[in-house]
Amino acid sequence: MTAGRSSTLAILSDVHYAGPAEQARGDDFEFRHVRSPCLRLAFRAYRRFIWMRYPLQHSGQLDRFLAAVGEVDFAIANGDYSCGSGFIGLADDAAFASAREAIGKLRHRFAARLRLTFGDHELGKLSFLGAQGGMRLEGWRRSVDELGIEPLWQLELRRYALIGVTSTLIALPMFTADMLPEEKPAWEKLRAEHLAQIRAAFARLAADRRVILFCHDPTALPFLGREPEVAARLPQIEHTIIGHLH
């Protein structure tokens, strides 16, 4: 890129792509197994009248985005690539297949210009009604090893540093109930390693560098702000791009 030339970014988040295996579960996957008729009826009404009646039928939005987006220098996808209908992140084969298909489409369109940020659906979370699923280390492994999602990525664009972080690890103390007891030490180790990477990245920033931060879940931001190396650079953070809230 030549000096003085502006850069164009395409940013998308919360793709929630549902491939064939997730679609086959049906749009009532969240409340089908709820025993209480009243609770089941209340959640059905929530889906019908308040929020996304057909949660597994929006995959075409990704194709529309890819058809409409023009030429860009880089594309950033800010997490949540599947619908997570198994509630255990990409440890679930159906969710993994959805995420692999969605990311495959993004890589076909943007190739090396694509950066991927972790969302919470990659790692797993308790269902909305709190009775199913949770975080699974296998979702982390598949995301990193098989889909190539980087826990922390950094992109330098002249006076800007674009930094993507993993919100679930940063805010891990908020998700104790989502973890299997036997996996908790491994999650805490991953968090410690991730925070060390973040501290190092912010400590290396030149004083004149402006930061655009990509963080899927804003729950992580107060935790991030407590890190001395990050706090010292807060005036340099020009924008924070979040997802999760839809």
Side-chain angles (χ1 to χ4, degrees):
M1 297 181 186
T2 59
R5 178 185 178 275
S6 63
S7 299
T8 303
L9 305 177
I11 300 172
L12 70 157
S13 187
D14 296 88
V15 176
H16 290 300
Y17 190 92
E22 283 205 281
Q23 290 180 25
R25 286 175 169 157
D27 287 305
D28 62 345
F29 70 93
E30 293 167 295
F31 53 85
R32 183 187 304 136
H33 303 294
V34 175
R35 293 184 178 182
S36 167
C38 293
L39 189 56
R40 193 164 56 247
L41 180 62
F43 198 82
R44 187 185 295 274
Y46 167 80
R47 275 295 185 193
R48 181 181 179 92
F49 298 112
I50 299 175
W51 181 247
M52 203 174 289
R53 184 176 180 181
Y54 303 111
L56 301 180
Q57 298 183 37
H58 297 274
S59 299
Q61 297 284 18
L62 176 59
D63 294 324
R64 282 190 280 276
F65 165 80
L66 293 173
V69 69
E71 286 304 312
V72 298
D73 294 298
F74 292 96
I76 294 95
N78 208 25
D80 280 7
Y81 304 101
S82 78
C83 284
S85 58
F87 307 110
I88 55 171
L90 301 191
D92 171 52
D93 289 339
F96 177 78
S98 296
R100 182 174 55 191
E101 187 173 344
I103 291 172
K105 291 186 176 193
L106 289 166
R107 285 204 169 110
H108 179 75
R109 176 66 175 80
F110 300 111
R113 295 170 293 155
L114 177 67
R115 298 295 183 274
L116 300 166
T117 304
F118 264 98
D120 51 308
H121 276 270
E122 280 69 73
L123 304 179
K125 57 191 298 185
L126 288 173
S127 64
F128 188 83
L129 299 175
Q132 301 180 68
M135 295 169 62
R136 298 293 186 272
L137 286 169
E138 179 64 6
W140 171 270
R141 186 199 67 78
R142 281 180 145 185
S143 297
V144 174
D145 295 344
E146 298 183 43
L147 296 182
I149 303 175
E150 296 180 277
L152 183 143
W153 57 263
Q154 187 165 343
L155 178 63
E156 302 291 330
L157 293 177
R158 292 170 302 284
R159 63 187 291 263
Y160 282 93
L162 281 60
I163 300 175
V165 297
T166 302
S167 58
T168 300
L169 288 184
I170 297 167
L172 193 67
M174 300 294 294
F175 303 114
T176 300
D178 294 68
M179 291 181 274
L180 296 174
E182 62 270 26
E183 291 189 352
K184 185 179 178 183
W187 283 116
E188 291 176 340
K189 182 174 184 291
L190 287 170
R191 181 180 192 258
E193 292 170 351
H194 188 52
L195 288 176
Q197 292 175 327
I198 292 171
R199 294 183 196 113
F202 276 84
R204 287 192 302 265
L205 285 172
D208 63 345
R209 187 74 70 185
R210 310 300 296 172
V211 176
I212 301 178
L213 179 67
F214 291 84
C215 178
H216 176 78
D217 182 352
T219 305
L221 298 179
F223 291 92
L224 202 56
R226 294 171 196 160
E227 296 296 322
E229 292 82 356
V230 177
R233 304 291 188 176
L234 285 179
Q236 294 177 239
I237 300 178
E238 189 167 299
H239 297 289
T240 298
I241 310 299
I242 63 168
H244 193 63
L245 303 181
H246 296 224

